[in-house]
Amino acid sequence: MSQLFISDLDGTLLNPDSRISDFTAQTISQLTDRGALISVATARTPATVDILLRHTRTSIPAIVMTGAALWHRDTRNYTDVHHIDPHTAAIITDTMRRNGITPFIYTIAPDGIIHTYYNGAHTPTSKEQKFIDQRSHLPLKRMHINEPVPPLATDSPVLIFALGDKKRIYDTAETLRATAQCSVSNYLDIFNTDIAYIEVFAPGVSKAEAVTRLKESTRAHTLTVFGDNLNDLPMMAVADVAVAVGNALPQVREVADVVIDTNATDAVARYIAENFKE
């Protein structure tokens, strides 16, 4: 019986320092060498996934950008990419700006580099600037700040993202769900609940859809997923075994089949090691 293990990154597989510990990296690598099917499903792009997993061997694609694409670490190629059509992308960006939110627009170039465009005011100490600074020197990403956005018809985005005040973000998410043909994910920052995030994708994009397709493509008999935040709930709902880390939000722990220790204790890697059957 083959098993597929898929873990969220932030707050789940990553420790409180937002890193994969040496123990977790070593454990997952050894299990992969023994044939375990282990990967991640994350809102992050390959630009940061590549760095976070650099010491961790996996054999199957990573689910990136909340399921907007699969990323193959060995070949560094994307597959199963879902683009937002130009008309819908225009509606999304206009709605965000009317609500006082400046979007980050993500596109993928033919060489696999992600180009992110941001056109808005920000200060050196703003949350937007911090977000930009953390991603400005990544090999697989290019940040374009206050530069013209390519015509959406020729460079369709895969993700339109924003961060900001919780009420504005949640109100915008509700509006988009009612007015645009798209998939919307909104959730709180795990470190500062006054800040929220919104991610908008093509219709049908979700971690749930992506893990389901990956289970089919790997011909796994069982799917175990690990999560901590509200955006993990859809993939937990389609899993055979839904596991919440001990530091997960109460809503996540309530629906989980299993609650393990926190992300500070390598709990995900330990659970996989204890439950993997060769």
Side-chain angles (χ1 to χ4, degrees):
M1 180 178 72
S2 58
Q3 302 160 280
L4 175 61
F5 299 94
I6 302 292
S7 178
D8 170 60
L9 277 178
D10 292 272
T12 307
L13 191 65
L14 303 187
N15 63 22
D17 294 328
S18 296
R19 297 182 180 180
I20 291 180
S21 73
D22 291 340
F23 176 86
T24 288
Q26 183 178 23
T27 300
I28 290 177
S29 297
Q30 291 173 346
L31 291 169
T32 295
D33 292 342
R34 290 165 51 192
L37 302 176
I38 306 171
S39 193
V40 298
T42 178
R44 290 176 178 265
T45 71
T48 52
V49 172
D50 186 46
I51 295 171
L52 291 168
L53 296 182
R54 62 187 178 277
H55 300 307
T56 307
R57 288 190 299 281
T58 57
S59 61
I60 58 176
I63 296 167
V64 295
M65 294 178 282
T66 314
L70 298 180
W71 188 62
H72 301 254
R73 296 179 61 206
D74 51 352
T75 61
R76 304 176 82 79
N77 289 329
Y78 291 87
T79 58
D80 202 21
V81 181
H82 299 261
H83 294 273
I84 304 171
D85 75 79
H87 175 70
T88 302
I91 293 174
I92 295 164
T93 56
D94 289 346
T95 300
M96 287 185 174
R97 292 190 175 104
R98 284 199 306 272
N99 288 353
I101 299 170
T102 302
F104 289 83
I105 300 173
Y106 288 65
T107 66
I108 302 176
D111 61 1
I113 301 296
I114 289 179
H115 293 262
T116 303
Y117 298 86
Y118 178 85
N119 286 271
H122 54 283
T123 65
T125 58
S126 68
K127 54 188 176 297
E128 292 85 359
Q129 187 61 52
K130 181 180 179 181
F131 182 86
I132 292 166
D133 290 343
Q134 291 174 339
R135 292 156 177 80
S136 291
H137 306 288
L138 300 175
L140 298 179
K141 180 179 284 187
R142 303 288 184 270
M143 299 295 293
H144 302 271
I145 308 305
N146 292 326
E147 296 180 16
V149 180
L152 297 181
T154 59
D155 202 0
S156 298
V158 293
L159 164 64
I160 300 175
F161 166 87
L163 68 161
D165 171 75
K166 177 174 69 174
K167 185 177 187 310
R168 287 190 179 188
I169 291 291
Y170 276 57
D171 287 349
T172 301
E174 185 176 349
T175 299
L176 288 174
R177 290 190 180 100
T179 60
Q181 295 294 315
C182 58
S183 293
V184 181
S185 175
N186 57 285
Y187 52 96
L188 298 176
D189 186 283
I190 60 175
F191 302 110
N192 181 358
T193 54
D194 291 329
I195 297 175
Y197 302 94
I198 182 171
E199 303 164 342
V200 188
F201 306 95
V205 169
S206 71
K207 285 185 178 181
E209 289 295 325
V211 296
T212 299
R213 292 194 300 272
L214 196 54
K215 180 183 179 182
E216 293 172 354
S217 66
T218 58
R219 299 182 179 179
H221 291 89
T222 61
L223 167 64
T224 302
V225 303
F226 304 84
D228 74 306
N229 211 331
L230 299 182
N231 63 332
D232 298 318
L233 291 176
M235 73 170 179
M236 295 176 73
V238 301
D240 298 296
V241 182
V243 182
V245 285
N247 54 286
L249 293 177
Q251 303 96 308
V252 179
R253 297 197 303 270
E254 286 171 6
V255 302
D257 299 308
V258 181
V259 178
I260 57 177
D261 209 341
T262 71
N263 66 326
T265 64
D266 301 294
V268 171
R270 296 181 189 278
Y271 180 93
I272 297 174
E274 293 169 3
N275 289 274
F276 170 59
K277 300 177 178 62
E278 302 212 34

